[in-house]
């Protein structure tokens, strides 16, 4: 795979950052058609340096999206299909005994890639799921007392089927909290589906996706996004939103401090879409539901898709109630 | 030149109004001055700068007014202080109505200061203090705004809120501090609401008790509705209007102009007995208020014993011995703003065996006539009496003659060599002192002993007691009836004996008096002992009634009202805390936010459809998505606002105005476009969500 030309330059500007993001979105749009908003969210999440959780019905293009992302960013990629009998060692790797030298050496698992697709994450038992935790949080894996660094940038794109499907384990809250953004693609619009039928048929759209950026550029883009200004008034707004979720009567648990930080970095990346180097309350609101809807715990007993919708609805309601800074 | 800030002008004019009010509360300013000033104030508040274009003409008018005031002053028709105050009010009125430039500002504030000083010279009671505080607060705000306004370059908005908020907080703090000082150290502040000696009595005087009775003088006596005396009577008569005579002193010698007594001070005691006691004495517990301004004890006619006087001085309450003066006058030996004492009086119909106790010299004086008495006086008395020799019947006949044929007036006739014959034969009108003097002297010409008594007539029932106003001051006649002593006969027409204030004024004053009484009792007179007593009353269990049995196990817990008080205090503290946290928790108002306010106002004025809680950012995004023509104008403006507010790049000088002008143009164009379009094609409208 050839290295794409760098657009960002040695001194990135909001405009050049936006150009990179637009190009990424254009490539992803080739793989997932008719979902421009969702595609932009995915790019936002990647630029913010977060992990992505795609929650959807099977067959709407979750896997395609993840693979397209790896291709467009020229990242090393692996796909782990989570099943009920998958073990942590299958992901992380294991110590292998070499008979000739009578020593053990570490054989890295499929997690040691820049972009890891954890497909159908909730089909694995909790023990295996939590094997991902350290890698997602610290970018390293500890095994038998040894620490192994994961490649950089390291991004997990997990997909999961709605929880009410049979044979699934709901993700633990600690795991959910480590995903920066949760998205669902949903079925494409009828005209898009018809278009797919006539033009593509069964052929994969992936070969048409070109690499438009590389790991280095992605890393500097992330750095630049971290430096986007977040005014004290906006920070206060985020904190007030978090407090509102914590005090809300229908929520068992509101946004955590990690959720507050996550919203901050997501809003910073979102600001780049407008070519801005500062965050506005609008950026915060744009990322609020993708960032927080999966992190709050409902008091009511609803599960699955309806719980997801209700959480999103409650977070939206809170966003309406908490006054934005003027 | 920039347009002056409306709020500042309002504050300035209100400050001038308060300063004028400080003078007006004295009730001594002429009515026309009041009218001119308040008309000017109302006009100025409605931003009608009437003399802006005719400043020279109005200055000429001021000059004329100055000359007129000077004439009145030299003719003795007006007091110098009142004239100066009236003139200051006129200047302030003229300045308020002229163009609001820097010079007019300064002059308005300066005349405000002058008027406050004038108010201090004229009045000085609680209302004055309130006016003074109002002037201080309003003028400070106006001045500070003026300074900020002058410092802000042309075309930039004046940060009104940013200035007013800390300034108002500071002023509130200062005023609260002053009030707290007042409450904490009540005695130190006594002098502030303490006695005010009657203002330099020129021709204008207000009714009240005075130490001399002198006929003559020019001008008008003003009814004064201040309360001078409060009394609790035992047994309580229970009537609403007491209509009784409260006597202060009597006079036996008249020199043709002024009344006096032949006998001077006699004795100084804790308690003085004037008349033999009877078994049905009327007990009075009397409080003399600062408005009284004299040292003479007042009691219901006829006083028998006076004493147990307490003088409330700035340094505390102490007992005051009383001294018997001539004419039955009893005086406090200690000078204080207010006093309390007890008095016993004989019931109205009791006979006092007094005549035997009179000295011979005093008896002679009861028939003494001034050396230069108009002979027509005796002729008139003889004609009216037609041989009636019985003292009481003669006095009553003369009194009804005077009441019938003479008019009551508070206008004084001016200085005259013989005011009495002036009253009887020329003007045929006068006030109570004229009536009483005429009756007394006419009786004396007929060989009937009589003397003049002064004090108050009336008594309005308030809170189970009675109060007497300064305007109730009165003079009447004591006729010596052999075997009965002195009998009161009043020659003044009955409807003019007590004060004649307008009903509305009396009502307003009743409210004011009630407030002031509460103020005096709970703030000014509030001592540490009162504080301690209040606190202990709240905590101490209520005493069982004397007849009740002792309960088996007396509770050691505080009584319910202690708990209730604690709960109320806790609630108040909580509320104040909440309020304070809300106040301090507010985000500071920024330049960009003020810009946003103006944009919002412009959009609202142009009826741009908008959802509830939709920020400018959201609105612009939505309009851009809808392809609305306004989005073109709004996008750069919104971006600039966001940059200024959240991006740390403040608006440059004049940039806000430029952006707003662009927006207004776009809004106008949009309005025209819509007007040109048929009504069916309306732009997307807002849902009220």
């Amino acid at each position: 795979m050839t290295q794409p030309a760098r657009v960002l330059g040695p001194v990135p500007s909001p405009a050049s950052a936006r150009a990179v993001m637009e190009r990424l979105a254009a490539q992803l749009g080739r793989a997932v058609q008719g979902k421009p908003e969702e595609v932009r969210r995915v790019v936002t999440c990647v630029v913010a340096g977060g992990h992505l959780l795609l929650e959807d019905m099977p067959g709407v293009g979750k896997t395609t999206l993840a693979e397209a992302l790896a291709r467009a960013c020229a990242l090393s990629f692996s796909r782990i299909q989570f099943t009920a009998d998958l073990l942590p060692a299958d992901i992380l790797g294991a110590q292998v005994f070499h008979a000739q030298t009578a020593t053990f050496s570490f054989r890295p698992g499929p997690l040691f890639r820049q972009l890891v697709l954890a497909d159908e994450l909730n089909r694995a038992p909790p023990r295996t799921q939590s094997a991902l935790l350290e890698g997602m949080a610290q970018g390293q894996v500890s095994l038998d007392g040894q620490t192994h660094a994961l490649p950089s940038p390291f991004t997990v794109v997990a997909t999961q089927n709605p929880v009410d499907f049979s044979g699934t384990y709901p993700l633990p809250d600690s795991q959910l909290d480590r995903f920066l953004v949760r998205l669902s693609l949903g079925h494409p619009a009828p005209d898009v589906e018809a278009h797919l039928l006539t033009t593509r048929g069964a052929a994969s759209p992936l070969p048409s996706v070109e690499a438009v950026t590389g790991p280095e550029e992605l890393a500097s883009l992330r750095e630049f996004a971290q430096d986007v200004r977040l005014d004290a008034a906006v920070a206060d707004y985020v904190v007030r939103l978090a407090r509102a979720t914590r005090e809300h009567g229908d929520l068992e648990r509101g946004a955590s401090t990690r959720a507050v930080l996550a919203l901050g970095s997501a809003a910073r990346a979102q600001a780049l879409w407008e070519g801005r180097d500062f965050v506005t309350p609008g950026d915060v609101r744009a990322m609020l539901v993708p960032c927080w809807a999966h992190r709050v715990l409902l008091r009511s007993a609803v599960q699955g898709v309806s719980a997801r919708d209700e959480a999103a609805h409650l977070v939206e309601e809170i966003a309406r109630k908490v006054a934005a800074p003027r | 030149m920039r347009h002056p800030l409306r709020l500042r002008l309002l504050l300035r004019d209100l400050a001038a109004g308060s300063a004028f009010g400080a003078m007006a509360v004295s009730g001594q300013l002429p009515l026309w001055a009041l009218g001119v000033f308040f008309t000017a104030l109302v006009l100025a508040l409605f931003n009608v700068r009437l003399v802006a274009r005719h400043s020279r003409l109005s200055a000429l008018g001021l000059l004329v007014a100055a000359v007129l005031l000077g004439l009145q002053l030299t003719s003795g028709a007006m007091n110098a202080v009142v004239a100066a105050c009236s003139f200051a009010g006129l200047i302030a009125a003229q300045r308020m109505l002229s163009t609001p430039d820097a010079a007019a500002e300064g002059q308005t504030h300066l005349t405000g200061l002058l008027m406050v000083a004038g108010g201090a010279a004229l009045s000085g009671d609680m209302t004055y203090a309130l006016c003074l505080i109002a002037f201080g607060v309003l003028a400070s705000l106006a001045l500070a705004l003026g300074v900020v306004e002058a410092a802000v370059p042309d075309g930039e908005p004046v940060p009104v809120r940013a200035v007013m908020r800390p300034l108002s907080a500071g002023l509130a703090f200062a005023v609260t501090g002053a009030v707290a000082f007042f409450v904490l150290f009540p005695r130190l502040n006594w002098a502030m609401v303490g006695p005010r000696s009657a203002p330099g009595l020129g021709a204008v005087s207000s009714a009240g008790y005075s130490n001399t009775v002198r006929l003559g003088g020019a001008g008008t006596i003003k009814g004064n509705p201040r309360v001078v005396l409060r009394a609790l009577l035992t047994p309580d008569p229970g009537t609403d209007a007491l209509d009784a005579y409260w006597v202060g002193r009597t006079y036996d010698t008249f020199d043709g102009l002024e009344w006096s007594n032949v006998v001077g001070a006699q004795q100084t005691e804790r308690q003085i007995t004037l008349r033999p006691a009877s078994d049905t004495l009327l007990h009075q517990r009397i409080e003399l208020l600062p408005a009284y301004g004299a040292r003479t004890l007042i009691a219901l006619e006829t006083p028998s014993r006076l004493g147990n006087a307490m003088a409330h001085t700035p340094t505390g309450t102490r007992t005051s011995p009383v001294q018997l003066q001539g004419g039955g006058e009893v005086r406090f030996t200690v000078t204080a703003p207010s006093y309390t004492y007890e008095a016993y009086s004989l019931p109205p119909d009791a006979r006092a065996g007094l005549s035997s106790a009179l000295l011979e010299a005093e008896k002679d004086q009861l028939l003494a006539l001034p050396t230069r008495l108009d002979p027509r006086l005796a002729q008139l008395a003889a004609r009216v009496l037609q041989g009636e020799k019985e003292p009481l019947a003669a006095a009553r006949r003369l009194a009804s003659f005077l009441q019938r044929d003479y008019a009551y007036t508070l206008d004084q006739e001016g200085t005259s060599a013989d005011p009495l014959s002036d009253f009887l034969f020329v003007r045929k009108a006068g006030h109570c002192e004229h009536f009483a003097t005429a009756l007394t002297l006419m009786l004396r010409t007929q060989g009937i002993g009589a003397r003049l008594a002064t004090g108050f007539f009336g008594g309005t029932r308030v809170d189970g007691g009675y109060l007497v106003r300064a305007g109730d001051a009165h003079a009447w006649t004591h006729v010596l009836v052999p075997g009965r002593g002195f009998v009161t006969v009043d020659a003044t027409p009955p409807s003019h004996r007590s004060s004649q204030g307008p009903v509305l004024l009396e009502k307003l004053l009743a409210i004011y008096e009630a407030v002031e009484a509460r103020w005096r009792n709970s703030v000014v007179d509030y001592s540490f002992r009162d504080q301690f007593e209040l606190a202990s009353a709240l905590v101490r269990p209520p005493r069982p009634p004397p007849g009740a049995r002792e309960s088996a196990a007396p509770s050691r817990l505080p009584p319910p009202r202690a708990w209730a008080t604690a709960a109320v205090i806790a609630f108040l503290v909580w509320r104040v805390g909440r309020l304070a946290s809300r106040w301090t928790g507010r985000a500071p108002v920024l330049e960009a936010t003020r810009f946003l306010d103006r944009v919002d106002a412009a959009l609202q004025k142009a009826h741009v459809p908008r959802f509830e809680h939709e920020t400018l950012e959201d609105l612009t995004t939505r309009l851009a998505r809808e392809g609305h023509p306004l989005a073109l104008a709004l996008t750069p403006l919104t971006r600039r606002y966001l940059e200024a507010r959240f991006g740390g790049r403040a608006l440059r000088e004049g940039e806000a105005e430029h952006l707003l002008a662009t927006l207004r143009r776009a809004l106008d164009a949009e309005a025209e476009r819509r007007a040109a379009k048929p009504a069916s094609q309306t732009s997307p409208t807002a849902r009220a969500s």
Side-chain angles (χ1 to χ4, degrees):
Chain A
M1 199 181 284
T2 53
Q3 266 305 316
R6 284 182 67 113
V7 173
L8 210 53
V11 185
S13 71
S16 60
R18 180 186 176 172
V20 174
M21 289 164 75
E22 293 281 6
R23 285 167 60 167
L24 252 177
Q27 293 307 315
L28 294 186
R30 289 188 187 177
V32 183
Q33 291 188 1
K35 296 281 171 196
E37 279 300 309
E38 285 73 7
V39 163
R40 283 165 79 97
R41 293 270 176 280
V42 171
V43 175
T44 312
C45 176
V46 170
V47 171
H51 306 289
L52 175 69
L53 177 64
L54 293 168
E55 188 182 275
D56 239 317
M57 306 294 201
V60 289
K62 299 188 293 276
T63 315
T64 314
L65 178 65
E67 281 189 41
L69 186 63
R71 282 182 78 98
C73 298
L75 300 175
S76 60
F77 175 73
S78 70
R79 172 182 171 156
I80 309 168
Q81 181 64 47
F82 280 63
T83 54
D85 55 357
L86 193 74
L87 292 173
D90 299 334
I91 306 170
L92 304 175
Q95 300 285 357
V96 182
F97 182 69
H98 297 278
Q100 295 93 339
T101 55
T103 52
F104 283 96
S105 73
F106 179 66
R107 188 175 53 105
L111 194 65
F112 287 78
R113 297 289 188 281
Q114 286 168 321
L115 194 133
V116 176
L117 171 63
D119 216 357
E120 298 193 90
L121 181 60
N122 59 340
R123 289 210 181 276
R127 179 165 169 246
T128 311
Q129 285 178 11
S130 47
L132 277 176
L133 276 182
E134 191 190 359
M136 290 172 72
Q138 271 112 34
Q140 63 180 34
V141 167
S142 300
L143 239 143
D144 298 335
Q146 278 190 315
T147 305
H148 307 279
L150 289 168
S152 172
F154 175 74
T155 304
V156 174
V157 176
T159 71
Q160 74 163 339
N161 296 324
V163 191
D164 47 357
F165 270 63
S166 56
T168 59
Y169 301 89
L171 291 183
D173 296 328
S174 54
Q175 179 86 54
L176 276 175
D177 209 13
R178 279 172 173 78
F179 286 103
L180 181 71
V181 161
R182 182 182 68 180
L183 285 176
S184 43
L185 294 173
H187 297 290
D191 53 332
V192 176
E193 261 180 336
H195 181 70
L196 284 178
L197 260 178
T198 50
T199 54
R200 211 169 74 192
S204 166
L206 282 175
S208 68
V209 176
E210 294 164 19
V212 288
T213 183
E216 293 84 20
E217 196 175 47
L218 193 60
S220 55
L221 187 59
R222 284 182 173 181
E223 242 171 66
F224 184 65
Q226 291 300 315
D227 288 342
V228 164
R229 176 193 165 101
L230 196 138
D231 193 76
V234 181
D236 174 64
Y237 179 49
V238 174
V239 171
R240 277 189 291 129
L241 284 168
R243 205 169 55 197
T245 63
R246 290 165 196 163
E247 288 167 359
H248 198 284
D250 291 345
L251 292 176
E252 178 74 39
R253 192 178 55 235
S256 63
T257 304
R258 186 185 287 135
V260 168
L261 295 174
L263 183 57
S265 46
R268 282 185 163 108
Q270 173 72 18
L272 291 178
W273 280 112
E274 301 291 327
R276 277 192 265 102
D277 58 356
F278 58 89
V279 177
T280 68
D283 298 329
V284 172
R285 266 200 307 282
M287 295 312 292
L288 188 62
V289 170
C291 247
W292 279 8
H294 62 289
R295 296 172 198 258
V296 296
L297 187 65
L298 292 174
R299 226 178 259 286
S300 66
V302 284
Q303 289 287 321
V305 181
S306 51
R308 192 182 66 196
D309 290 347
E310 186 168 346
H313 174 76
L314 283 177
V315 172
E316 267 171 11
E317 182 194 301
I318 286 166
R320 270 200 305 278
K321 275 187 185 160
V322 176
R326 284 168 59 81
Chain B
M1 201 194 105
R2 79 158 71 232
H3 216 61
L5 210 59
R6 186 88 177 78
L7 176 68
R8 180 170 57 81
L9 293 184
L10 276 179
L11 287 171
R12 182 201 74 177
D13 296 342
L14 285 175
S18 316
F20 190 84
M23 304 190 302
V25 289
S26 71
Q28 295 191 51
L29 291 188
L31 205 62
W32 58 266
L34 287 175
V36 168
F37 185 87
F38 282 109
T39 315
L41 181 61
V42 170
L43 287 175
L45 290 182
F46 282 101
N47 209 13
V48 182
R49 309 289 164 195
L50 206 61
V51 302
R53 300 204 178 149
H54 315 285
S55 51
R56 291 206 178 162
L57 200 68
S58 59
L60 212 64
L62 272 184
L63 201 64
V64 172
V67 170
L68 287 177
L69 283 170
L71 284 177
Q72 274 192 294
L73 189 61
T74 45
S75 74
M78 196 180 256
N79 170 341
V81 180
V82 176
C85 288
S86 308
F87 193 59
L90 289 182
I91 296 177
Q94 197 264 353
R95 292 287 81 198
M96 284 194 304
L97 291 183
S98 62
T99 321
D101 55 10
E105 294 307 302
Q107 286 152 0
T108 312
H109 287 304
L110 199 64
T111 47
L113 281 176
L114 280 176
M115 291 194 287
V116 163
L122 288 179
S123 52
D125 50 13
M126 192 183 82
T127 348
Y128 165 77
L130 293 180
C131 288
L132 177 62
I133 291 172
F135 170 76
V137 169
L138 292 166
S140 309
L141 290 175
L143 278 171
L145 264 185
V147 169
V148 173
E149 201 182 342
V152 173
D154 256 8
E156 271 288 284
V158 180
V160 176
R161 285 189 212 175
V163 177
M164 294 298 270
R165 188 169 293 173
L167 200 62
S168 316
L171 282 171
F173 185 74
V175 172
T176 316
V179 170
F181 184 81
F182 207 99
V183 174
L184 285 176
F185 305 101
R187 295 291 166 203
L188 280 182
N189 297 284
W190 233 120
M192 286 181 65
V193 289
R196 302 293 310 183
S197 55
L201 278 173
V204 180
S205 56
S206 55
Y209 187 80
S210 76
N211 281 329
T212 55
V213 175
R214 184 188 171 91
L215 298 187
T220 304
I221 301 177
K222 283 197 183 298
N224 182 352
R226 297 295 312 276
V227 173
V228 295
L229 177 152
R230 243 188 272 277
L232 271 177
L233 305 190
T234 325
D236 190 353
T239 54
D240 273 349
L242 193 61
D243 283 345
Y245 292 89
W246 305 77
V247 68
R249 70 184 289 190
T250 59
Y251 297 90
D252 52 17
T253 312
F254 185 63
D255 64 357
L257 213 58
E258 188 170 352
W259 284 92
S260 58
N261 276 314
V262 284
V263 185
Q266 290 165 355
Q267 59 184 110
T268 303
E269 296 287 339
R270 293 287 300 276
Q271 190 158 9
I272 291 219
T273 304
L274 291 167
R275 315 269 185 279
S278 100
D279 40 356
T280 54
L281 282 181
L282 201 57
H283 174 252
Q284 304 139 63
R285 191 167 170 76
I286 293 178
E287 183 186 7
L288 286 178
L289 302 180
Y292 178 58
R295 278 199 292 153
T296 306
L297 281 79
I298 300 283
L300 276 176
E301 196 151 78
T302 311
S304 159
R305 251 190 302 146
L306 297 160
N308 294 341
M310 307 292 279
H312 304 290
T313 65
T315 50
T317 298
R318 57 191 171 117
T319 55
S320 166
V322 290
Q323 189 173 51
L324 180 61
Q325 305 272 338
E329 181 192 15
V330 180
R331 273 195 200 175
F332 302 103
T333 50
V334 174
T335 310
S338 79
Y339 305 92
T340 46
Y341 58 96
E342 284 176 89
Y344 291 91
S345 297
L346 303 177
D349 49 352
R351 286 161 180 258
L354 174 71
S355 38
S356 58
L358 275 178
L359 301 168
E360 274 308 308
E362 287 180 279
K363 262 187 180 167
D364 290 344
Q365 277 301 319
L366 292 177
L367 287 170
L369 292 169
T371 44
R372 289 180 297 126
L373 187 70
D374 194 331
R376 286 180 292 172
L377 198 76
Q379 294 162 13
L380 179 67
R383 201 178 71 227
V384 172
L385 285 183
Q386 293 175 335
E388 177 65 64
K389 285 288 172 202
E390 204 281 308
L392 199 52
R396 286 187 175 147
R397 184 175 286 193
L398 277 173
S400 56
F401 160 74
L402 286 170
Q403 285 168 12
R404 195 179 61 236
D405 285 12
Y406 290 80
Y408 185 85
T409 177
L410 281 170
D411 289 330
Q412 295 183 314
E413 72 272 37
T415 317
S416 155
D418 189 356
L420 189 56
S421 51
D422 203 44
F423 163 68
L424 281 173
F425 307 112
V426 184
R427 290 202 336 145
K428 301 208 167 200
H431 53 80
C432 58
E433 289 175 2
H434 292 109
F435 283 97
T437 307
L439 176 59
T440 311
L441 289 183
M442 282 162 91
L443 283 171
R444 286 185 181 182
T445 58
Q446 303 306 306
I448 301 169
R451 66 183 185 192
L452 185 85
T454 60
F456 296 87
F457 177 82
T460 320
R461 189 171 182 87
V462 171
D463 294 341
Y466 290 89
L467 50 85
V468 171
R469 299 174 187 281
D472 291 335
H474 191 47
W476 60 95
T477 307
H478 279 168
V479 184
L480 184 63
V481 181
R484 250 185 96 176
F486 286 108
V487 176
T488 294
V489 176
D490 197 344
T492 311
S495 55
H496 293 289
R497 284 176 192 165
S498 55
S499 61
Q500 300 291 310
V503 179
L504 181 66
L505 183 68
E506 294 252 319
K507 277 189 180 159
L508 285 177
L509 232 103
I511 297 170
Y512 169 72
E513 298 285 357
V515 172
E516 204 208 15
R518 183 129 320 161
W519 168 259
R520 281 169 46 74
N521 291 336
S522 40
V523 178
V524 180
D525 276 352
Y526 205 73
S527 62
F528 293 119
R529 201 189 60 198
D530 292 326
Q531 290 167 357
F532 179 75
E533 277 178 2
L534 176 74
S536 59
L538 287 171
V539 179
R540 195 170 43 210
R543 257 170 236 270
R549 272 183 304 151
E550 286 288 318
S551 57
S555 167
R556 288 229 154 237
L557 287 174
R561 58 184 166 159
W563 295 112
T565 314
V568 167
I569 290 173
F571 177 75
L572 285 178
V573 167
W574 176 72
R575 284 300 306 177
V576 167
R578 279 278 300 264
L579 214 67
S581 72
R582 196 183 306 167
W583 187 260
T584 51
R586 268 191 213 162
V589 181
L590 303 161
E591 182 71 19
T593 309
R594 276 195 295 280
F595 171 64
L596 178 65
D597 287 340
R598 294 169 72 187
V599 171
D600 280 345
L603 291 175
Q604 197 171 6
K605 206 174 148 196
H607 302 293
V608 174
R610 195 145 175 198
F611 299 127
E612 209 179 341
H613 303 307
E614 195 176 37
T615 61
L616 182 65
E617 193 183 357
D618 299 339
L619 173 77
T620 309
T621 314
R622 180 168 64 82
L623 292 183
R625 211 171 35 232
E626 287 169 359
H628 197 281
L630 267 182
L632 219 59
L634 269 178
T635 307
L637 180 144
T638 307
R639 185 167 179 106
R640 198 61 196 88
Y641 153 69
L642 289 172
E643 261 178 10
R645 177 68 177 93
F646 304 112
R649 284 186 284 274
L651 290 168
R652 287 185 302 277
E653 203 174 298
E655 194 181 2
E657 265 63 32
H658 175 72
L659 287 169
L660 274 170
T662 318
L663 175 67
R664 288 207 184 92
R665 274 199 298 280
L667 288 172
D668 290 345
E670 167 69 7
E672 273 175 34
R673 192 184 62 83
R674 268 211 254 175
K677 260 171 122 184
S680 59
Q681 284 179 292
T682 47
S683 57
T685 50
R687 285 176 287 122
S689 60

